[in-house]
Amino acid sequence: MRVARAIRIGCDRTRRQLPPARQAVVECAAVVSKAELNLKKFACLGFLLLLIYAPAIAQVTVIKAGRLVDPDNGTVLTDQVIVIRANKIEAVGPGLTIPQNAAVIDLSKMTVLPGLIDCHTHLADGKYGEGDPIFQLKKSASQSVLESVPNARVMLESGFTTVRDVGVYRALNDVALRDAINRGDIIGPRMYVAGAYITITGGAGAMTGMAPDIQLPWDFHYGEANSPWEVRQKVRLLVHQGVDHIKVLSTGAVLTHGSNPKSVEFTPDELQAAVDEASHFGLRVAAHAHAAEGIKNAIRAGVASVEHATLIDDEGIALAKQHGTYLVMDIYDDECIQADSKNGSMPADFLEHDRELGGIQRENFRKAVKAGVKLAFGTDAGVCAYGTSARQFAFMVKYEMTPMQAIQSATSAAADLIGRSNEFGSIKPGKDADLVAVSGDPLKDVSLLENVQFVMKAGVVYKHK
Ligand SMILES: [Zn+2]
């Protein structure tokens, strides 16, 4: 049973690396999985083992890139050869010698970019489009996380090889999804996860809207904290569960019942406790904040990023610049909130919270770009459908960024925010082989990134149209 499963997994991996063998592999896997022992089965086993071990012997892939975007230098190189050994980039340059036995992928008519990074996603909340978070209570944690499997796949196939996931309704579902991807059980981007929202009772990250006598399961209020010491305790619990960063809610939220995005929630002391405690374990803090005062409280506390930053004022922009704080402004998703208002799937109080905020956030994004604040790409994926994050690029360009700046926000800048610039974010020797490619020139038309035709994560091809 275990051998048959291993062969099937082997087939699956091989199928992605050797598209011409695809049909034969599928047929063989079907034969091998049958109970009867016969000659055809042995022949197929031999064929499969050859295919499985062939990449281990060769392990070298060469990509011919017609154009190659280098976000580190803000330049585009032409006619580059990228040599990939196993999961890492070994060499990049013009006219490099192609090693013997290398598998060659010809992208000479395409533009190759580093794998894209979305710094604000919620992949582990289950199926997209259920509107009111209260529907989460109709499912078990297992159902929610299993419903999230397609979210991860579509995210990767749309060109996002890494995500920074910043909170989940049911605590630790994101850890489960991340670990399943890392084991190779399911397909998805490299995930960095928060584990839970650290929030005040009844605040932006709480599950609200129930009658007061309803007792929630533990995982719906795992991150609730109401003093600096309670915040520290939650950080310690989450660190113990293996999270990658901490998410705090500094102000109210749009998509939470009984919460006001214009109100401050955590106090400066509580935010400082989160940043200080997280730093003991080498973790960074992302702070959700709409209200201007909550944004400034978070920046002064030393968070790595402010999420949304909707109502940021001039003082907040100056502070972000001074502290080197990233803003992650999800300026596209108001399109989806407004569309949901028309089809009736968005609760009325959420729409009231959202009124006018979308337009203000976009104008403040423009101000932040002009001021030279650090900006990382993040979409709040889950508000809009999974797999559509790249639609935000055109909005970023519409609101003052150059196409190169928009690409940098989702590659080199995003990797810097996550603290992994030495591992991904650009196509350089020693980094993970995370690459995407598009037809045409995304520096002339950044919306081409909405239709990525080639995706490689850690040296494995997941899409090649
Ligand atoms: Zn969010």
Side-chain angles (χ1 to χ4, degrees):
M1 197 67 181
R2 192 170 289 178
V3 171
R5 183 174 170 272
I7 290 167
R8 279 199 297 274
I9 291 169
C11 280
D12 222 33
R13 288 183 181 147
T14 308
R15 192 171 63 207
R16 287 197 295 271
Q17 287 174 347
L18 295 170
R22 180 176 182 150
Q23 194 53 41
V25 169
V26 170
E27 282 170 11
C28 278
V31 170
V32 171
S33 63
K34 285 181 186 166
E36 74 268 22
L37 203 65
N38 56 32
L39 205 59
K40 193 175 179 190
K41 183 172 172 180
F42 277 118
C44 269
L45 259 174
F47 173 64
L48 283 167
L49 289 172
L50 184 71
L51 286 178
I52 291 163
Y53 288 106
I57 299 161
Q59 279 199 37
V60 179
T61 306
V62 166
I63 292 179
K64 293 180 176 174
R67 296 160 57 80
L68 179 71
V69 177
D70 176 4
D72 291 341
N73 297 308
T75 54
V76 181
L77 309 164
T78 52
D79 296 325
Q80 298 289 298
V81 173
I82 307 163
V83 181
I84 295 158
R85 190 174 296 272
N87 60 330
K88 297 277 184 196
I89 296 163
E90 188 173 79
V92 186
L96 298 183
T97 310
I98 296 176
Q100 266 195 336
N101 301 325
V104 178
I105 299 173
D106 186 0
L107 304 178
S108 57
K109 296 199 164 32
M110 304 184 88
T111 304
V112 177
L113 305 98
L116 303 173
I117 304 166
D118 190 333
C119 289
H120 191 125
T121 66
H122 302 280
L123 298 190
D125 281 334
K127 206 162 62 177
Y128 167 73
E130 301 201 311
D132 197 324
I134 219 157
F135 289 126
Q136 295 283 327
L137 295 167
K138 289 186 170 181
K139 298 174 206 164
S140 67
S142 313
Q143 283 174 306
S144 287
V145 77
L146 285 169
E147 281 180 9
S148 304
V149 170
N151 306 344
R153 175 191 277 267
V154 77
M155 198 80 206
L156 178 62
E157 289 174 349
S158 66
F160 287 83
T161 49
T162 300
V163 302
R164 188 182 68 144
D165 208 74
V166 284
V168 64
Y169 290 123
R170 295 196 87 130
L172 312 180
N173 269 6
D174 50 354
V175 172
L177 192 66
R178 175 198 68 187
D179 292 352
I181 293 168
N182 288 348
R183 284 194 303 271
D185 294 347
I186 61 170
I187 290 171
R190 190 181 290 102
M191 283 183 79
Y192 293 95
V193 302
Y197 298 112
I198 300 188
T199 179
I200 64 166
T201 298
M207 178 59 69
T208 55
M210 276 80 59
D213 51 349
I214 299 292
Q215 286 282 315
L216 284 173
W218 68 272
D219 52 354
F220 277 112
H221 59 97
Y222 192 73
E224 205 172 285
N226 291 290
S227 72
W229 281 106
E230 283 189 10
V231 168
R232 285 181 188 272
Q233 186 213 19
K234 297 302 178 184
V235 171
R236 290 166 187 175
L237 282 169
L238 287 165
V239 165
H240 185 68
Q241 297 299 338
V243 304
D244 302 297
H245 51 260
I246 296 296
K247 171 76 178 291
V248 294
L249 288 289
S250 179
T251 74
V254 172
L255 306 179
T256 308
H257 296 293
S259 182
N260 182 353
K262 295 178 180 166
S263 297
V264 164
E265 293 194 344
F266 273 136
T267 63
D269 283 353
E270 288 166 325
L271 293 169
Q272 278 160 20
V275 172
D276 182 56
E277 194 64 38
S279 76
H280 298 171
F281 303 96
L283 301 192
R284 299 178 179 195
V285 177
H288 157 110
H290 293 291
E293 207 53 41
I295 293 168
K296 290 183 275 194
N297 287 344
I299 296 171
R300 289 192 187 103
V303 301
S305 67
V306 173
E307 311 297 305
H308 314 296
T310 310
L311 301 170
I312 192 165
D313 58 16
D314 291 346
E315 188 187 13
I317 286 175
L319 270 178
K321 214 172 162 188
Q322 183 191 333
H323 287 252
T325 314
Y326 274 97
L327 304 183
V328 180
M329 298 178 77
D330 47 342
I331 61 169
Y332 177 76
D333 64 9
D334 200 49
E335 300 297 302
C336 303
I337 294 172
Q338 292 307 320
D340 285 350
S341 77
K342 292 190 183 101
N343 66 28
S345 65
M346 187 62 69
D349 53 338
F350 291 4
L351 290 173
E352 180 56 29
H353 294 161
D354 187 56
R355 210 152 51 90
E356 298 169 358
L357 288 187
I360 296 171
Q361 188 197 31
R362 289 169 183 175
E363 287 309 320
N364 284 336
F365 177 84
R366 189 198 299 276
K367 281 190 196 170
V369 174
K370 276 189 182 166
V373 176
K374 288 184 183 176
L375 290 153
F377 184 97
T379 64
D380 220 351
V383 174
C384 293
Y386 300 105
T388 64
S389 290
R391 290 182 188 171
Q392 186 171 282
F393 286 112
F395 271 67
M396 294 169 108
V397 170
K398 185 174 169 187
Y399 288 91
E400 214 67 44
M401 270 186 165
T402 64
M404 181 58 87
Q405 284 176 317
I407 291 167
Q408 287 167 326
S409 78
T411 52
S412 50
D416 182 46
L417 170 56
I418 297 172
R420 305 270 175 170
S421 292
N422 57 343
E423 293 175 33
F424 47 78
S426 59
I427 300 169
K428 295 284 160 67
K431 294 197 183 189
D432 288 349
D434 293 355
L435 314 167
V436 298
V438 292
S439 294
D441 184 359
L443 292 155
K444 289 202 177 95
D445 177 6
V446 82
S447 71
L448 291 173
L449 295 173
E450 293 168 24
N451 187 22
V452 163
Q453 280 129 20
F454 176 85
V455 179
M456 171 184 274
K457 183 188 105 180
V460 177
V461 177
Y462 289 89
K463 184 178 185 182
H464 192 181
K465 277 205 223 167

